[in-house]
């Protein structure tokens, strides 16, 4: 068995994907340890979930810092302290600077509730539903300098049913997310992902 990958999850709100990752770790789905939850909102429900599992949660208050770099410097200090190897963004509603993204190149992944490059942005499920697409889904990708853009690790399609409502679609998308994100983390932990240009190649 290889080295245990130390993971930090960044969230701003509910944290259901964070919890799905924690549960997957407990089931030993991947050889990694979720050491840390970082939130940029004090009242993020994700913090409650972290407390439930005894995982360290750190609130980094963006209002306390005069620049994004200073805000991120504080985050970087915590990441270093915990020797973090992988950052998993899970509903983190803040854009990371180019500096941060470069520093952790190939080590930040994100989950997006649509089939990228369609429906980027914060309201992807609603946008896809209102657009009337018949298929949407979930994407896990590496984070690069552009939003919802980096190399794609995994995608899973979700058909939109004739009687679908936004609520039912949200529920189905989230259920897929909770399965797919742990799978992507597993591939990362097993060192099975290599990036050629923007293509993620799955190593055998
Ligand atoms: C998820 O739909 C994720 O794809 C998006 O933000 C949402 C976060 O949900 N980036 P949760 O906080 O994990 O419940």
């Amino acid at each position: 068995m290889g080295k245990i990958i130390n993971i930090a999850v960044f969230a701003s709100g509910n944290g259901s994907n964070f919890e799905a990752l924690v549960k997957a770790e407990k089931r030993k789905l991947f050889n990694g340890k979720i050491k840390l939850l970082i939130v940029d909102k004090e009242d993020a429900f994700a913090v409650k979930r972290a407390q439930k599992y005894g995982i360290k949660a750190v609130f980094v208050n963006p209002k306390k810092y005069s620049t994004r770099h200073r805000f991120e410097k504080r985050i970087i200090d915590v990441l270093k302290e915990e020797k973090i190897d992988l950052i998993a963004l899970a509903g983190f509603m803040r854009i990371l600077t180019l500096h941060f993204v470069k520093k952790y190149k190939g080590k930040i992944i994100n989950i997006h509730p649509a089939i990228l490059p369609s429906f980027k942005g914060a309201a992807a499920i609603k946008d896809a539903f209102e657009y009337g697409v018949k298929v949407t889904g979930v994407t896990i990708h590496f984070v690069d300098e552009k939003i919802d853009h980096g190399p794609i690790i995994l995608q899973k399609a979700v058909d939109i049913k004739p009687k679908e409502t936004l609520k039912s679609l949200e529920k189905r998308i989230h259920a897929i997310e909770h399965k797919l994100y742990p799978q992507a983390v597993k591939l990362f932990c097993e060192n099975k992902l290599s990036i050629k240009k923007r293509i993620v190649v799955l190593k055998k």
Side-chain angles (χ1 to χ4, degrees), residues 147-166:
I147 295 163
D148 297 333
H149 175 270
I152 292 167
I153 302 169
L154 291 175
Q155 287 186 309
K156 179 115 182 123
V158 174
D159 284 331
I160 295 188
K161 299 191 169 146
K163 290 204 174 141
E164 197 82 63
T165 62
L166 178 57

Side-chain angles (χ1 to χ4, degrees), residues 40-52:
D40 62 339
K41 296 225 170 64
E42 198 167 19
D43 59 353
F45 188 67
V47 174
K48 295 255 177 341
R49 298 186 197 256
Q51 284 161 352
K52 185 164 107 187

Side-chain angles (χ1 to χ4, degrees), residues 11-18 46 49 89-93 110-114 125 138-139 173-174 177-178:
S12 298
N14 184 19
S16 70
N17 281 287
F18 162 68
R49 298 186 197 256
L89 306 183
F92 188 63
M93 302 306 283
N110 181 43
I111 182 160
H112 185 75
I125 305 177
V138 175
T139 303
I173 295 253
H174 292 315
E177 288 190 313
H178 299 160

Side-chain angles (χ1 to χ4, degrees), residues 70-86:
R70 290 200 175 125
F71 165 73
E72 287 179 352
K73 172 76 175 63
R74 166 75 185 128
I75 294 180
I76 290 167
D77 288 346
V78 184
L79 296 176
K80 281 188 180 154
E81 234 167 74
E82 298 293 337
K83 300 192 168 43
I84 296 301
D85 306 298
L86 171 67

